[in-house]
Amino acid sequence: MKSKYKLGVNIDHVATLRNARGENFPSVLLAANNAINAGADSITVHLREDQRHIKPADVIDLKKNIKKPLNLEMALTKEMLSFAIKTKPKYVCFVPEKRNELTTEGGLNLFYNVYFLSKAIKKLKKNNIKVSLFIDPKIKNVEQALKLNADNIELHTGTFCNLLNNKNKKKINLEFERIKKTAVFAKKNNLGVHCGHGLNYLSAKKLKKIKEILEFNIGHFIISDSIFFGLTRVIKNFTKIIKN
Ligand code: PXP
């Protein structure tokens, strides 16, 4: 039976590796297709203003050549809005963006720049692009997402994942309950509930207990753990070539 739960695979860091050499290897498109063949339900990329990993050409290439939905994470800017409307990914997820951050540090402030955010959501929806808002797990953010007429919310799981690493049971439970309460409230109000940031096997397993969460978006850990799954095989390939 097909599961209703979805896995979105973020391949930003394949591009990070590619850009380290300024060449075309490893291919972002090949990584996306491998992810899809392995069971990914969608492919996520974050086109940052500084284009430190994904480039506009990657988004266009992926949109044309993958058979599963493309989810474009982006900042709320005029330039990104017109790029999204031209490229037409199936989903756009608005995320906050700071130039000097290593990764997205928190959820989007839905109470700032409300007029432009609301206009952007309307425009995207008119172009048949579903809109998700990346938010910290708080009821007031869901209420605002409803007012803004978003299709989905993506709950920021970074705090939960960090707490799991520190093993403070009381704080872990509090954050879990906060995510659960927010997810239940959002689902009850017909918003699609996604989650992401910092997820690994353990945190995904724990959060799967919240039945309202339909989609898990995972990037850094997937690419990192793939090194350890692939390293032995690749070294063996080379020992055959060099030592035989
Ligand atoms: N979801 C959103 C909205 C993100 O900004 C990110 C990071 O780009 C992720 C999910 C994936 O996070 P991670 O790479 O830590 O798995």
Side-chain angles (χ1 to χ4, degrees), residues 27-94:
S27 154
V28 165
L29 178 61
L30 186 59
N33 281 324
N34 282 359
I36 290 166
N37 290 337
D41 297 290
S42 59
I43 296 296
T44 296
V45 288
H46 183 175
L47 177 57
R48 284 181 167 270
E49 189 199 5
D50 63 8
Q51 297 180 20
R52 67 172 77 151
H53 35 58
I54 293 295
K55 314 277 181 203
D58 293 319
V59 185
I60 294 165
D61 193 25
L62 288 165
K63 163 67 185 144
K64 270 198 204 144
N65 294 304
I66 62 172
K67 292 200 167 67
K68 292 272 176 167
L70 181 65
N71 173 32
L72 175 62
E73 290 175 1
M74 60 183 224
L76 180 65
T77 66
K78 258 190 185 162
E79 294 73 25
M80 281 310 308
L81 186 60
S82 49
F83 177 77
I85 286 169
K86 251 195 271 158
T87 319
K88 291 200 170 30
K90 173 130 192 211
Y91 302 100
V92 157
C93 178
F94 280 115

Side-chain angles (χ1 to χ4, degrees), residues 110-111 114 139-149:
L110 302 186
F111 299 89
V114 179
I139 298 289
K140 69 169 192 177
N141 287 335
V142 178
E143 287 169 341
Q144 185 72 346
L146 284 164
K147 279 190 196 150
L148 288 162
N149 211 12

